[in-house]
Amino acid sequence: MSSDFFKVIFRRLRLVKIERDFLVFLVFLVVSIIFWFMQSIQETTEVSLSYKLKIENLPKDVVYTSDLPSEISVTYTSKGWNAFYYKFMLNDTYEVRIPFKEVNQKSGKILLDANVLKRAVMKDKPQGMTFKSTSPNKIEVYYSNGQHKRVPVIFNGRISTTAGRYLCGTILHPDSVDIYAPKHIYGSINSVKTENFTFNELEDTLHTRLALLVPRGAKAIPDSIDAEVCVDIFTDKTLQVPIYSENVPNNKIMRTFPLKATVTFLVSATLYESITPSDFLLVVDYKDAIAGSKRCKLDIRQQPDHIRHLRVSPETVEYVIEQTTE
């Protein structure tokens, strides 16, 4: 036989020895784990169980105005095996049910202190467990007895646009919401603001959802609104607007030269066609005329919303006062 044959046989025998040692190692490892587990389940340990929380028999007019936790964590001490069984092997749902009449109610606030939570948990405590604590150990929930009012929503943000674009306005949907609150804070709420935010370099109209900022203990329905931040291209527009006079006695007529003034302004492309001379009101005051000046200043008494950089030419006009035949 060649020497290569003996080399192959030697390598295989060595592998068999390694595999045998590995199996022996695995056996000792499993035995050690079992020994450790058997010893640990005899020791006292802590275990935390999750409990669903519910306040029962709420009066029909009670509305929560702050969030009631849906769950609490209850910590027990117990023998290891018992703790392991309730934590991992028992497929059960734990609940804490507290009647409304048993909770501390004061000034529109429900208070569940450590004693109340402990009493509720102990009604259905797992066997072999010793109660230790709850987390949280105190819960405060605000509520309203149904009183509510409608208040406006105030837009609370900073917006900038790119060059050549202008902010046309902001539309809120809805623009008012219902507020529920305990009596001691109910009267102080006359409006609510949207969350504070910043949008920079807008090029087009933006649609977004905004949360509302309400005082602690109050609840807004709905608690968020849709905002439409309108951005458009602005362009120049020029109109000829008639000039009217005011405070003129019945026996006199006040005529201006010219009879119309030129108004120039920036308007969004969307509103360009809708802006007409009737949207403006330019007047001269007879009282200025009798003061002795030969010219009267034009006053802008009315102008459309959402226009920019309004200019009037001329700013002053000549006038003539005529006596009527009456």
Side-chain angles (χ1 to χ4, degrees):
M1 295 184 182
S2 66
S3 59
D4 291 339
F5 174 77
F6 288 105
K7 289 179 181 179
V8 171
I9 295 297
F10 178 75
R11 283 199 298 270
R12 289 182 178 179
L13 290 174
R14 188 170 61 180
L15 287 174
V16 169
K17 182 177 184 304
I18 292 173
E19 290 176 357
R20 184 180 302 155
D21 291 345
F22 182 68
L23 288 175
V24 171
F25 168 76
L26 285 181
V27 170
F28 276 101
L29 178 62
V30 171
V31 171
S32 299
I33 291 174
I34 293 174
F35 179 77
W36 169 83
F37 180 75
M38 295 299 292
Q39 187 173 7
S40 63
I41 64 176
Q42 299 303 317
E43 297 177 353
T44 299
T45 186
E46 290 187 0
V47 62
S48 294
L49 304 179
S50 293
Y51 279 71
K52 294 186 179 300
L53 176 62
K54 184 177 180 181
I55 298 179
E56 295 184 311
N57 303 320
L58 284 176
K60 292 182 179 180
D61 63 348
V62 168
V63 177
Y64 290 132
T65 58
S66 62
D67 293 331
L68 175 71
S70 60
E71 292 186 350
I72 62 171
S73 177
V74 182
T75 301
Y76 296 98
T77 58
S78 178
K79 292 292 185 181
W81 169 252
N82 199 44
F84 179 82
Y85 172 76
Y86 279 103
K87 181 71 174 178
F88 300 107
M89 298 183 65
L90 182 61
N91 185 17
D92 200 1
T93 300
Y94 306 101
E95 290 185 335
V96 174
R97 295 177 175 269
I98 305 174
F100 182 75
K101 64 181 181 180
E102 294 184 8
V103 302
N104 184 0
Q105 308 154 35
K106 186 178 181 180
S107 299
K109 181 169 66 176
I110 295 173
L111 175 61
L112 305 178
D113 58 22
N115 291 330
V116 171
L117 292 173
K118 180 179 179 180
R119 285 197 303 269
V121 169
M122 294 296 287
K123 291 178 181 178
D124 193 22
K125 179 179 69 65
Q127 293 183 354
M129 295 281 203
T130 301
F131 175 87
K132 184 178 181 182
S133 63
T134 64
S135 179
N137 63 359
K138 184 174 72 171
I139 298 172
E140 292 182 349
V141 183
Y142 288 88
Y143 71 93
S144 165
N145 286 112
Q147 61 265 51
H148 66 280
K149 60 182 175 181
R150 197 81 172 170
V151 298
V153 178
I154 298 176
F155 183 71
N156 181 30
R158 295 182 179 180
I159 299 169
S160 66
T161 60
T162 56
R165 301 295 200 275
Y166 291 86
L167 176 65
C168 300
T170 303
I171 304 172
L172 305 180
H173 307 279
D175 59 3
S176 57
V177 295
D178 289 323
I179 289 292
Y180 291 80
K183 290 181 180 179
H184 66 282
I185 60 175
Y186 179 79
S188 63
I189 304 174
N190 296 311
S191 63
V192 293
K193 292 183 178 180
T194 66
E195 61 182 308
N196 192 8
F197 67 94
T198 301
F199 291 115
N200 292 320
E201 303 297 315
L202 286 185
E203 293 186 350
D204 202 354
T205 295
L206 172 71
H207 298 269
T208 188
R209 188 78 177 173
L210 298 175
L212 299 179
L213 303 178
V214 296
R216 185 170 182 263
K219 181 177 184 179
I221 299 179
D223 59 4
S224 61
I225 55 99
D226 292 313
E228 183 179 0
V229 181
C230 302
V231 174
D232 205 347
I233 299 173
F234 273 51
T235 186
D236 276 319
K237 183 168 185 173
T238 299
L239 294 172
Q240 296 296 315
V241 177
I243 301 171
Y244 296 91
S245 56
E246 64 180 5
N247 297 320
V248 181
N250 293 333
N251 62 344
K252 295 183 184 296
I253 296 174
M254 185 174 182
R255 303 186 188 277
T256 63
F257 301 95
L259 297 176
K260 294 183 178 181
T262 301
V263 294
T264 304
F265 51 91
L266 287 175
V267 61
S268 70
T270 304
L271 299 176
Y272 187 90
E273 295 297 333
S274 66
I275 304 297
T276 66
S278 62
D279 295 315
F280 298 85
L281 178 60
L282 302 181
V283 301
V284 292
D285 193 337
Y286 175 81
K287 293 179 180 179
D288 291 338
I290 62 176
S293 174
K294 295 181 179 181
R295 302 184 68 88
C296 280
K297 180 182 177 182
L298 280 179
D299 289 328
I300 305 170
R301 296 294 172 82
Q302 177 183 304
Q303 68 183 70
D305 295 331
H306 311 310
I307 66 170
R308 300 286 187 275
H309 306 308
L310 175 63
R311 304 178 299 279
V312 179
S313 179
E315 295 182 353
T316 61
V317 293
E318 294 181 348
Y319 65 90
V320 171
I321 298 176
E322 300 176 357
Q323 186 80 29
T324 65
T325 55
E326 296 180 4

